[in-house]
Amino acid sequence: MNDSPAAEEADLVRAAQGGDLRAFERLMHQHAPALYTLALRSLGDARDAEDLVQEAMLRAWNHLASFRAEARLGTWLYRIVINLCFNRLPQLRRQPEGLDEAGGEDLAQAEPGPEALLVGGELRVALHEAIAALPAQQRLLITLRHLDDLRYDEIAEITGLPLGTVKTGIHRGRQQLRSSLVGLGPA
């Protein structure tokens, strides 16, 4: 096998496509935590998320022959999970009204100061609660962008939403998060 993680993954995909169950299990072991997190944030229930990830893995195994290496395996697996989430929560698919191309800026990523470290645990809990309170589609988009660190174009590909809808949904989700978290940080 090759030394790079991408080359190793490509080797595992080829082996799994050839019927090697152990190779497939290694791939799923690598991707399962991210898939579970995505399902949990989308559905809001741990058991439903576990069931959905199991279903996604079964679908991935059954359709692995159709996977083309043009896309990353992670992107393909995310798409399977998102489609299953769409089936369970149709409100995720609905496009918010009046969306435009605005809102492409990223959240500032500065190193936390000493004050921020003191209240970091409380802020983290508040942030996760605020994300959970977002409308389903914004919660999904914020999760994909900031917790899974995907690019806007990857999110558009995974969700099937237009790029402008993705950007605006993320922007509006950030605005709601900022409003929810005002006053919680260090002064």
Side-chain angles (χ1 to χ4, degrees), residues 60-80:
W61 175 252
N62 289 332
H63 295 91
L64 193 58
S66 69
F67 172 70
R68 296 181 316 252
E70 298 163 4
R72 292 186 349 212
L73 180 66
T75 302
W76 185 69
L77 293 170
Y78 268 46
R79 183 68 191 169
I80 292 171

Side-chain angles (χ1 to χ4, degrees), residues 22 27 29 31 34 40 43 50 64 72 77 85 90 93 97 101 108 116 125 127 141 145 166 170 172 175 183:
R22 282 207 168 115
L27 289 168
H29 181 72
H31 291 279
L40 179 61
L43 301 176
E50 288 173 14
L64 193 58
R72 292 186 349 212
L77 293 170
C85 287
R93 187 179 294 277
E97 295 178 19
E101 294 285 332
V125 168
L127 176 61
L141 295 174
R145 176 68 186 115
V166 168
I170 291 169
R172 290 186 179 167
Q175 286 177 322

Side-chain angles (χ1 to χ4, degrees), residues 83-96:
N83 283 337
L84 291 171
C85 287
F86 282 162
N87 291 342
R88 292 191 186 188
L89 295 174
Q91 69 267 28
L92 285 175
R93 187 179 294 277
R94 251 186 276 128
Q95 292 186 26

